[in-house]
Amino acid sequence: MPQLQESAAYVSQRFQQMDAEVTDVGFISDAHEGAAAAEKLRQADCDLIVLFLTTYLTSSMVLPIAQRSHAPVLVIDLQPTEKMDHASFDTGAWLAYCGQCPVPEVGNVFRRAGIPFRSVSGYLRQEPAWERISRWISAAHVRAALRHARHGLMGHLYPGMLDVSTDLTLLPATFGSHVEVLEFDDLRVRADTVSEREVAERMALARELFTIDESVADDDFAWGARVSVALDRLVDDFELDTLAYYHRGLDGEQHERLGAGMILGASLLTARGVPATGEFELRTTLAQLATQVIGAGGSFCEIQALNFVDGVVEMGHDGPAHLAVSSRDPLLRGLGVYHGKRGWGVSVEFDVQHGPVTLLGLGQDADGSLTFITSEGEVVDGPLLEIGNTTSRVDFGRDPGEWVDEWSATGVGHHWSLSVGHRAADYQAAASLLGIGYRHV
């Protein structure tokens, strides 16, 4: 009927406005059509299949889609308006309002078939319903990003950081992504070919984006710019979506200098959507990619100190920063000694935009399975360390010590992504679509 077609067209339009690529298999009226639609959707390789129940249908029409498409499914039923006009409705008009009728049936059959069931019920132009639907679309963007990502892993594990160690086979097995194992020599060779003109151009770009502190030495600034250009080449040559790195080095040898010179370039990469983190933190780069693709940024973080007077947890890191979420012009500071790595050079200093934030970490449990772990708080104003770190003061609305205890008990590890906005529901939905665990503090 025309009303149902108009509703379907509206739903498709809303999905496209969320930057979703839509494959529409049309209306399904029997089990044969359901099987044909399942084959089309299987070939489309969807990250999320949305079943729009516009009226009553039997579960036999949709079960093949969920079984054969090998993609997570969301059931939505959005009746045309808030309520029926009982005085004027006949049976035909009523049928457009009974999309809710099969929802329990589909839920029952999915459970019996071992298929995760997700649903959103409401009316067509109900914004709260669309807010719930948008979480699943955001989650589909995360699933797409992690499913197709190429993760660069350069150097070696930070000695002693057992929580950072990640089973490289687990990532392609869980998400379908690829881990490209790199050596610092892959960066060294590219740094050797960077011209003085390219160094000058990268320094000019940095001056546009950063406030340059008087502590920055020209030679260190130039070296960071050279490494930055080389990093861009490395990322382009290997078609990387993320990069995690670490090299210990000794007495200023070249590989140590490369590792110490990464911060400027890694921050610029992160700002343009390629999360780059130090300390070999592969799982945190995945978390940053997840927060990045839904528009929430994501800055590399660990706990720095607790302030029991103001009730805040101070968190951040020396090293790569997400410039897009800075509360002010980020500062480039010269450091004679880093924390977390050997060497010296330039580091980035800022705090994340004040307001609501969400932490997202990617934990690995005893059985090897991965888990999204979140906590929501608010970045508040106050004094910050001025030591070239990305420090933020986060208020979780509770005693900071109690929060640290509960957060640590989740198995999150000591690094995570600090993203803007309260987005825990989005990350929980993403975990559902990815088929991994979820914990919230």
Side-chain angles (χ1 to χ4, degrees), residues 178-255:
H178 170 74
V179 179
E180 186 73 20
V181 177
L182 304 169
E183 298 177 354
F184 260 80
D185 286 323
D186 291 314
L187 181 63
R188 176 185 59 79
V189 171
R190 288 167 174 82
D192 288 343
T193 65
V194 175
S195 69
E196 294 303 319
R197 177 184 58 82
E198 290 173 310
V199 170
E201 290 174 349
R202 187 54 53 96
M203 293 174 72
L205 174 62
R207 290 188 183 96
E208 293 177 9
L209 298 175
F210 296 88
T211 297
I212 311 299
D213 188 74
E214 61 182 12
S215 60
V216 173
D218 290 342
D219 288 347
D220 293 341
F221 190 9
W223 176 247
R226 177 178 294 276
V227 175
S228 176
V229 175
L231 275 173
D232 284 357
R233 291 179 181 173
L234 183 78
V235 166
D236 291 343
D237 290 346
F238 286 97
E239 299 179 324
L240 302 180
D241 297 292
T242 72
L243 176 65
Y245 64 89
Y246 178 76
H247 181 81
R248 181 168 57 186
L250 184 65
D251 295 338
E253 53 85 24
Q254 189 169 20
H255 294 88

Side-chain angles (χ1 to χ4, degrees), residues 197 260 314 357:
R197 177 184 58 82
E314 297 182 39
V357 291

Side-chain angles (χ1 to χ4, degrees), residues 327-338:
S327 66
R328 51 188 166 89
D329 286 344
L331 180 75
L332 205 62
R333 184 183 293 279
L335 296 178
V337 178
Y338 288 133

Side-chain angles (χ1 to χ4, degrees), residues 8-291:
Y10 177 78
V11 168
S12 181
Q13 178 187 5
R14 290 291 298 253
F15 287 157
Q16 290 170 355
Q17 291 172 354
M18 299 177 198
D19 196 27
E21 181 181 340
V22 178
T23 299
D24 190 344
V25 296
F27 284 88
I28 297 170
S29 56
D30 57 39
H32 291 293
E33 292 180 355
E39 179 61 19
K40 291 179 181 177
L41 292 171
R42 184 189 66 80
Q43 294 176 4
D45 192 27
C46 300
D47 288 292
L48 176 66
I49 292 175
V50 180
L51 298 176
F52 181 21
L53 307 185
T54 56
T55 187
Y56 179 77
L57 51 70
T58 63
S59 50
S60 65
M61 301 181 194
V62 297
L63 182 59
I65 293 174
Q67 288 178 315
R68 303 176 191 177
S69 60
H70 304 294
V73 176
L74 171 67
V75 173
I76 64 173
D77 61 278
L78 304 174
Q79 66 184 35
T81 62
E82 293 176 87
K83 64 177 184 177
M84 293 187 293
D85 182 0
H86 297 81
S88 63
F89 270 35
D90 57 15
T91 300
W94 160 65
L95 288 174
Y97 283 75
C98 67
Q100 308 86 0
C101 183
V103 176
E105 177 179 341
V106 173
N108 172 276
V109 172
F110 275 25
R111 178 177 287 271
R112 292 165 68 179
I115 299 167
F117 177 73
R118 313 166 185 90
S119 69
V120 174
S121 300
Y123 63 91
L124 192 61
R125 287 174 170 78
Q126 184 188 22
E127 287 308 313
W130 278 105
E131 289 175 7
R132 287 149 58 203
I133 292 171
S134 71
R135 293 173 190 161
W136 293 109
I137 304 303
S138 294
H141 283 296
V142 173
R143 182 174 187 262
L146 297 190
R147 195 157 65 100
H148 300 290
R150 290 175 54 83
H151 306 291
L153 190 60
M154 185 170 68
H156 61 79
L157 182 68
Y158 193 117
M161 284 188 183
L162 302 182
D163 64 319
V164 169
S165 176
T166 301
D167 177 358
L168 302 189
T169 304
L170 186 61
L171 299 186
T174 302
F175 303 124
S177 52
H178 170 74
V179 179
E180 186 73 20
V181 177
L182 304 169
E183 298 177 354
F184 260 80
D185 286 323
D186 291 314
L187 181 63
R188 176 185 59 79
V189 171
R190 288 167 174 82
D192 288 343
T193 65
V194 175
S195 69
E196 294 303 319
R197 177 184 58 82
E198 290 173 310
V199 170
E201 290 174 349
R202 187 54 53 96
M203 293 174 72
L205 174 62
R207 290 188 183 96
E208 293 177 9
L209 298 175
F210 296 88
T211 297
I212 311 299
D213 188 74
E214 61 182 12
S215 60
V216 173
D218 290 342
D219 288 347
D220 293 341
F221 190 9
W223 176 247
R226 177 178 294 276
V227 175
S228 176
V229 175
L231 275 173
D232 284 357
R233 291 179 181 173
L234 183 78
V235 166
D236 291 343
D237 290 346
F238 286 97
E239 299 179 324
L240 302 180
D241 297 292
T242 72
L243 176 65
Y245 64 89
Y246 178 76
H247 181 81
R248 181 168 57 186
L250 184 65
D251 295 338
E253 53 85 24
Q254 189 169 20
H255 294 88
E256 179 184 297
R257 291 291 290 135
L258 283 167
M262 295 275 285
I263 294 175
L264 172 61
S267 296
L268 294 176
L269 281 173
T270 303
R272 68 179 177 91
V274 182
T277 61
E279 301 186 3
F280 217 58
E281 251 296 10
L282 176 59
R283 293 202 312 278
T284 298
T285 61
L286 268 72
Q288 287 180 276
L289 183 61
T291 59

